[in-house]
């Protein structure tokens, strides 16, 4: 598999008028603004630091909830749980997404970053804000958990730190939009933006909506903490979740964009139909608020009509959007593989796929666990009545560890193995370990989140220091099955933590001590030190003329994908109706 | 010619979808309609809905109502918390506070009650063990749910919303007597629930 069009890559560097500000990527031929390089690196490095802090906190939380160990005392348990939530869900994810925004705009569009200095200002605001929040949490002045529900009160700098962080993020999102305008005006690309950029654009738009909610709740809460105004606890929950779950919709849009990106880079996945994929992204924007209402289904502040309408907008189009991407991403991989000659049978393309490429394995694992575990449980628990048997139990963190960890974080890890050679221009350290990392991380987190969800169906509460209730006025002993399930959860979580540790070891070593890559991107020079997609460049092997693929009867041109999504649909229907059945067994309530 | 997600699509990319995509989109759309329809359907036919009647209430006003309720129907005490046995059909109250569910409720199986849930300080979470029924308890709001205990037993109310460092000690109790039990008869010793059901 020799590179098809390697000649075009090196030639353009010297002809560019501002060549000192740009470099030419030897793998993709894109010219990369050096400011984009630097901003991507800075954001990615800070994201990894947050991942490390959040990961250490994760292990401490896990070893406390595992009653057999019960490591921390109550004060430190809730403190460390706060640290875990803020670092993982806010700092790690958002710094990483800032890097994604620079990549999807400046790099993919061959363009300069609009206002790079302002980019550094935004970055500095985010770092300062995050630092203030970290300091408040560690010093015990913000034991309010990730959600900081009023009237639980943290010291004012906690809220101020969150506000500064959000303003910084908003600045970076603004630079992303400006970069798109610059690229269009300077004609650095032709026609429409690539799908990955389009997906990142939807993520950025959702980020604006999210950050506006953030301002609308954290600014009043900051004033409240100073004693200057009142904040109603129910209104807080309403507006806060406009931030809290919408931010997960940023993650979904960013993750799906990265699915398309990983597919293109690792196996030459095509976009089966631009119209379908782009429409699905737009649906995320239009139905963004839905999932925010999922948190309020058993709240006293809202009536049944409000709940039914705002959970679904009558038609669950955000669910529809994810189901469309859940089809088009594997279908694009299948079609790309078939177009590149892997046409054998129904699943030949899957068997012959590069399972040792950590970018590809991360893509598959992210899609499968996000869909089968995270997606199905999320939609089911977000149903008005079923929420009665799910709210605030371990079923909820079970759900979102499958989406945001096994889905989003896994996809982010997968793309990192391409970012290290393509942006940092380093070899991937411990590459043999990197080939295994997605499997270890994903399988560990899969065991963890399934066990957690299962424990929650016994009613075990989330965010609870000791479910043996030693200090309570009455006795309560959960079924011995709960001990077993929590034990399984702990083992899965520890395996996941090993996978996370492998990722941090690999990325930190690569970035700070890794061997630089030269301009030689041949297989001989790179094999065994970067993912194969970097030098085989499978997207260059796609046929340049129209090719009609073989029809497999009723399964069409993408028969493997049709079978996979049918299995998914069956699992979804079964899980959904089993939960209605479980609900029908509990006390009558209305 | 095909493009990937990292390249600009060719002009005229707004094309008809493949047949497989159309099939899947149709299946997904129909399923989303089912997901929606199940919620109104359950309001009409199902026995478990989080509707209730909802009102604002000042925490101190709620505390006063609870105190009155306890004085009226008090039948005993368990672990220092009053046991209250209200008649079937009445309004009953459960107050969340750091870190106590107050009072202990003693109810009749298959009788309907209006359960008022509220908090006098921070958010709390009502979790009925072992039936896994969950509601958010928000200060300033009275969540009045009609409930019918469908099984007799000695139940627990776990707090499942973080409410401060004593959160894990916040455990309440609801006793449900079989139909026909005389109000005022001896309260069963606190058994460990879950084992027998």
């Amino acid at each position: 598999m020799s590179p098809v069009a390697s000649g075009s890559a090196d030639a353009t560097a010297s002809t560019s008028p501002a060549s000192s500000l740009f470099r030419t990527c030897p793998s993709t031929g894109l010219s990369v603004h050096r400011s984009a390089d630097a901003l991507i690196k800075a954001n990615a490095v800070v994201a990894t630091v947050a991942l490390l802090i959040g990961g250490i906190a994760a292990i401490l939380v896990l070893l406390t909830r595992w009653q057999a160990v019960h490591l921390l005392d109550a004060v430190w348990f809730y403190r460390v749980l706060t640290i875990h939530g803020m670092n993982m869900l806010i700092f790690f994810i958002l710094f990483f997404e800032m890097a994604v925004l620079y990549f999807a705009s400046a790099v993919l569009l061959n363009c300069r970053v609009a206002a790079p200095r302002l980019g550094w200002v935004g970055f500095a605001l985010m770092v300062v804000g995050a630092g203030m929040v970290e300091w408040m949490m560690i010093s015990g002045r913000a034991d309010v958990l990730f959600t900081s529900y009023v009237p639980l009160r943290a010291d004012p700098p906690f809220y101020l730190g969150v506000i500064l962080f959000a303003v910084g993020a908003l600045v970076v999102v603004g630079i992303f939009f400006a970069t798109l305008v610059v690229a269009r005006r300077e004609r650095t690309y032709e026609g429409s933006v690539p799908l990955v950029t389009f997906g990142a654009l939807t993520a950025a738009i959702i980020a604006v909506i999210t950050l506006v909610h953030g301002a609308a709740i954290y600014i009043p809460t900051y004033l409240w903490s100073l004693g200057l105004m009142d904040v109603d606890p129910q209104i807080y929950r309403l507006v806060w979740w406009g931030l809290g779950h919408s931010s997960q919709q940023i993650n979904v849009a960013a993750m799906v964009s990265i699915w398309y990106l990983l597919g293109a880079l690792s196996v030459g996945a095509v976009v089966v139909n631009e119209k379908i994929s782009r429409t699905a992204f737009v649906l995320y924007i239009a139905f963004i608020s839905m999932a925010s209402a999922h948190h309020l289904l058993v709240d006293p502040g809202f009536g049944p009509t409000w709940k039914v309408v705002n959970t679904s907008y009558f038609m669950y189009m955000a669910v529809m959007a994810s189901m469309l991407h859940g089809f088009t991403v594997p279908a694009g991989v299948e079609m790309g593989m078939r177009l590149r000659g892997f046409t054998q049978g129904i699943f030949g393309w899957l068997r012959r796929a590069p399972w040792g490429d950590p970018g590809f394995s991360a893509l598959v694992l992210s899609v499968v666990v996000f869909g089968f575990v995270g997606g199905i449980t999320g939609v089911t628990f977000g149903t008005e009545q079923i929420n009665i048997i799910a709210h605030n139990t371990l079923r909820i963190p079970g759900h979102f560890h499958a989406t945001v960890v096994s889905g989003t974080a896994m996809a982010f890890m997968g793309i990192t193995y391409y970012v290290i050679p393509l942006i940092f221009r380093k070899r991937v350290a411990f590459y043999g370990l990197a080939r295994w990392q997605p499997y270890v991380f994903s399988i560990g987190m899969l065991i963890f989140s399934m066990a957690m969800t299962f424990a929650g169906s016994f009613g075990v509460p989330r965010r609870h220091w000791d479910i043996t209730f030693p200090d309570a006025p009455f006795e309560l002993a959960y079924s011995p099955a709960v001990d077993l399930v929590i034990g399984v959860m702990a083992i899965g979580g520890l395996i996941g933590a090993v996978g996370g540790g492998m990722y941090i070891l690999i990325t930190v070593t690569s970035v700070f001590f890794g061997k630089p890559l030269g301009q030689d991107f041949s297989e001989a020079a790179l094999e065994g030190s970067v993912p194969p997609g970097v030098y085989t460049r499978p997207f260059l092997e796609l046929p340049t003329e129209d090719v009609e693929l073989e029809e497999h009867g009723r399964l069409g041109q993408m028969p493997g994908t049709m079978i996979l999504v049918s299995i998914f649909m069956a699992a979804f229907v079964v899980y959904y109706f089993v939960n209605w059945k479980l609900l029908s067994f509990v006390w009558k309530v209305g | 010619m095909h493009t990937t997600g990292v390249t600009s699509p060719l002009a005229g990319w707004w094309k008809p979808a493949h047949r497989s995509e159309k099939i899947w989109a149709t299946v997904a759309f129909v399923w989303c309609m089912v997901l929606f329809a199940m919620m109104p359907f359950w309001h009409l036919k199902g026995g478990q809905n989080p509707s209730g009647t909802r009102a604002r209430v000042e925490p101190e006003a709620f505390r006063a109502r609870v105190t009155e309720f306890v004085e009226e129907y008090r039948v005993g005490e368990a672990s220092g918390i009053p046991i209250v046995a209200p008649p079937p059909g009445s309004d009953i109250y459960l107050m969340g506070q750091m870190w106590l569910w107050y009072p202990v409720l003693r109810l009749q199986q298959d009788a309907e009650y209006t359960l008022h849930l509220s908090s006098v300080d921070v958010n709390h979470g009502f979790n009925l063990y072992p039936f896994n029924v969950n509601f958010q308890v928000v200060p300033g709001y009275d969540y009045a749910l009609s409930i019918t205990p469908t099984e007799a037993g000695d139940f627990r109310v776990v707090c499942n919303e973080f409410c401060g460092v004593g959160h894990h000690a916040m455990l309440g109790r609801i006793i449900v007597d079989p139909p026909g039990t005389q109000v005022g008869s001896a309260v069963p010793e606190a058994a460990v629930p879950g084992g027998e059901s």
Side-chain angles (χ1 to χ4, degrees):
Chain A
M1 279 204 260
S2 62
V4 177
S6 57
S8 64
D10 304 7
T12 49
S14 55
T15 57
S16 164
S19 58
S20 65
L21 293 176
F22 286 86
R23 65 177 176 87
T24 301
C25 174
S27 177
T28 59
L30 290 165
S31 60
V32 181
H33 191 201
R34 291 184 194 278
S35 289
D37 256 353
L39 284 160
I40 290 171
K41 287 179 188 176
N43 280 284
V45 167
V46 179
T48 309
V49 173
L51 181 68
L52 178 63
I53 299 170
I56 292 167
I59 296 169
L60 296 173
V61 168
L62 182 72
L63 290 180
T64 308
R65 286 227 60 157
W66 191 8
Q67 294 282 157
V69 181
H70 208 53
L71 184 66
L72 301 175
D73 66 23
V75 170
W76 275 96
F77 171 75
Y78 296 118
R79 190 165 296 161
V80 171
L81 187 55
T82 311
I83 292 169
H84 172 61
M86 291 302 288
N87 276 283
M88 293 307 207
L89 279 170
I90 300 286
F91 303 144
F92 159 61
I93 292 237
L94 277 162
F95 275 114
F96 204 101
E97 279 164 356
M98 298 301 115
V100 170
L101 289 183
Y102 287 117
F103 178 84
S105 57
V107 175
L108 284 185
L109 298 180
N110 261 313
C111 155
R112 65 187 172 87
V113 175
R117 287 216 184 106
L118 199 57
W120 289 109
V121 172
F123 175 73
L125 278 171
M126 291 173 74
V127 170
V128 170
M132 284 169 72
V133 171
E134 301 277 18
W135 174 242
M136 284 297 110
M137 292 189 299
I138 291 168
S139 62
R141 284 178 273 174
D143 293 338
V144 290
L145 299 195
F146 171 61
T147 44
S148 56
Y149 289 137
V150 165
L152 286 176
R153 191 179 165 284
D155 277 8
F158 172 81
Y159 306 107
L160 188 61
V162 175
I163 292 166
L164 290 181
F165 181 87
V167 170
L170 208 48
V171 167
V172 178
V173 173
I175 292 169
F176 170 80
F177 292 132
T179 304
L180 294 190
V181 173
V182 166
R184 179 133 210 111
R185 195 176 290 163
E186 298 180 357
R187 297 175 184 277
T188 61
Y189 65 98
E190 280 186 29
S192 308
V193 296
L195 180 62
V196 171
T197 307
F198 189 84
L201 173 60
T202 61
I205 292 170
I206 295 169
V208 173
I209 301 169
T210 303
L211 293 167
V212 167
H213 281 97
I217 197 60
Y218 274 103
I219 293 171
T221 305
Y222 174 56
L223 297 174
W224 165 78
S225 72
L226 293 169
L228 297 175
M229 68 178 282
D230 279 334
V231 175
D232 181 276
Q234 183 70 88
I235 304 287
Y236 179 92
R237 281 174 57 78
L238 172 69
V239 184
W240 193 89
W241 280 112
L243 161 81
H245 212 116
S246 303
S247 63
Q248 306 315 312
Q249 214 79 14
I250 313 175
N251 300 341
V252 171
M255 171 188 74
V256 174
S257 305
I258 286 175
W259 286 352
Y260 287 110
L261 178 57
L262 279 171
L265 292 174
S266 65
V267 290
V270 298
V271 181
V272 178
N273 186 296
E274 295 275 354
K275 176 178 75 175
I276 297 279
S277 295
R278 285 172 198 241
T279 306
F281 273 122
V282 172
L283 287 176
Y284 280 145
I285 303 176
F287 287 80
I288 166 82
S289 309
M290 267 176 46
S292 304
H294 293 178
H295 297 262
L296 309 167
L297 293 175
V298 293
D299 268 39
F302 318 93
T305 312
W306 187 94
K307 287 172 182 173
V308 170
V309 171
N310 286 290
T311 308
S312 64
Y313 294 157
F314 304 105
M315 45 198 197
Y316 275 107
M317 286 295 112
V319 177
M320 170 100 177
S322 285
M323 287 176 77
L324 288 176
H325 289 304
F327 178 91
T328 58
V329 169
V333 169
E334 174 168 8
M335 208 175 215
M337 290 293 284
R338 286 182 185 278
L339 287 167
R340 288 171 53 224
F342 301 101
T343 52
Q344 203 184 25
I346 288 181
F347 286 114
W349 58 280
L350 257 189
R351 270 199 305 280
R352 304 279 303 276
W355 293 97
D357 179 332
F360 179 76
S361 57
L363 164 66
V364 174
L365 294 165
S366 171
V367 171
V368 169
V369 182
F370 180 88
F372 274 85
V373 185
I376 290 177
T377 57
V379 175
T380 304
F381 301 162
T383 304
E384 189 202 6
Q385 294 91 346
I386 293 175
N387 197 249
I388 294 173
I389 56 169
H391 180 72
N392 272 359
T393 68
L394 276 182
R395 300 183 92 183
I396 303 302
H399 149 71
F400 70 68
H401 281 85
T403 54
V404 83
V405 185
S406 302
T408 305
M410 183 78 273
F412 287 3
M413 288 173 174
I415 198 63
T416 308
Y417 297 119
Y418 278 85
V419 168
I420 290 170
L422 296 178
I423 300 292
F424 287 92
R425 285 173 292 154
K426 296 279 177 70
R427 288 169 199 267
V428 176
F430 311 112
Y431 183 69
L433 206 59
R435 291 161 58 102
W436 286 100
Q437 189 273 337
Y439 296 100
V440 175
F441 183 72
S442 182
I443 290 168
M445 290 315 298
L446 177 65
I447 296 169
F448 173 82
S449 50
M450 287 181 74
M452 198 179 218
T453 309
F454 194 54
S457 57
F458 287 90
V460 176
R462 66 186 289 199
R463 299 175 153 187
H464 203 283
W465 175 60
D466 193 341
I467 57 163
T468 62
F469 301 95
D471 305 328
F474 309 107
E475 282 181 49
L476 191 165
Y478 286 103
S479 148
V482 169
D483 289 337
L484 179 70
V485 173
I486 297 268
V488 172
M489 177 185 102
I491 290 162
L494 290 175
I495 296 171
V498 168
M502 287 162 74
Y503 171 79
I504 291 173
L505 174 73
I506 292 162
T507 51
V508 171
T509 312
S510 307
V511 168
F512 293 106
F513 313 104
K515 269 171 61 185
L517 293 177
Q519 289 293 310
D520 183 4
F521 268 56
S522 67
E523 180 166 357
L526 296 182
E527 200 191 359
S529 65
V530 297
V534 173
Y535 49 82
T536 60
R537 286 176 277 176
F539 55 91
L540 294 178
E541 294 174 2
L542 292 168
T544 49
E545 69 287 356
D546 271 330
V547 179
E548 270 305 300
L549 287 168
E550 185 193 349
E551 293 277 344
H552 288 72
R554 308 181 96 178
L555 295 173
Q557 295 181 0
M558 296 150 272
T561 303
M562 281 304 267
I563 290 177
L564 295 175
V565 296
S566 305
I567 297 170
F568 170 80
M569 197 63 227
F572 200 164
V573 171
V574 169
Y575 189 80
Y576 182 71
F577 284 110
V578 162
N579 271 276
W580 282 108
K581 191 74 193 165
L582 289 174
L583 176 69
S584 73
F585 295 142
V586 307
W587 286 9
K588 291 240 177 326
V589 60
Chain B
M1 155 130 197
H2 295 274
T3 49
T4 69
V6 292
T7 42
S8 288
L10 303 172
W13 52 262
W14 189 268
K15 285 189 198 141
H18 281 253
R19 193 169 57 94
S20 325
E21 281 181 302
K22 286 182 186 160
I23 294 170
W24 178 247
T26 310
V27 169
F29 184 77
V30 170
W31 176 239
C32 288
M33 290 300 149
V34 172
L35 294 178
F36 167 71
M38 275 306 289
M39 293 188 289
F41 169 78
W42 203 261
H43 274 285
L44 295 173
K45 297 282 179 193
Q48 296 81 15
N49 289 288
S51 314
T53 49
R54 303 156 313 278
R56 281 180 190 267
V57 64
E58 283 300 317
E60 283 320 305
F62 189 80
R63 187 194 293 277
R65 270 183 235 168
V66 174
T67 309
E68 198 180 314
F69 165 71
V70 169
E71 278 166 9
E72 191 168 357
Y73 300 117
R74 181 180 182 130
V75 292
E77 198 177 273
S79 304
I81 303 166
I83 300 172
V84 177
S90 61
D91 281 40
I92 62 176
Y93 293 82
L94 189 62
M95 177 173 79
Q97 66 180 86
M98 293 158 127
W99 291 289
L100 187 71
W101 289 111
Y102 183 89
V104 172
L105 297 170
R106 189 164 175 201
L107 310 176
Q108 299 264 332
Q109 186 187 336
D110 297 330
E112 190 176 332
Y113 301 86
T114 304
L115 172 64
H116 294 260
L117 290 170
S118 192
S119 161
V120 291
D121 38 50
V122 297
N123 274 270
H124 295 285
F126 174 93
N127 164 262
L128 183 71
Y129 178 84
F131 268 117
N132 197 13
V133 173
N134 303 278
F135 291 100
Q136 187 77 18
V137 180
V138 182
Y141 290 81
D142 177 358
Y143 203 171
L145 294 151
S146 15
I147 60 155
T148 309
T150 48
E151 208 171 306
D154 190 355
F155 299 91
R156 295 290 177 267
V157 181
V158 177
C159 178
N160 68 7
E161 184 60 80
F162 173 67
C163 56
V165 73
H167 170 48
H168 66 278
M170 186 166 166
L171 187 64
R173 188 174 171 198
I174 296 177
I175 302 153
V176 179
D177 295 321
T181 308
Q182 283 297 311
V183 176
S185 60
V187 174
E189 276 302 301
V192 179
E196 66 281 334
S197 62

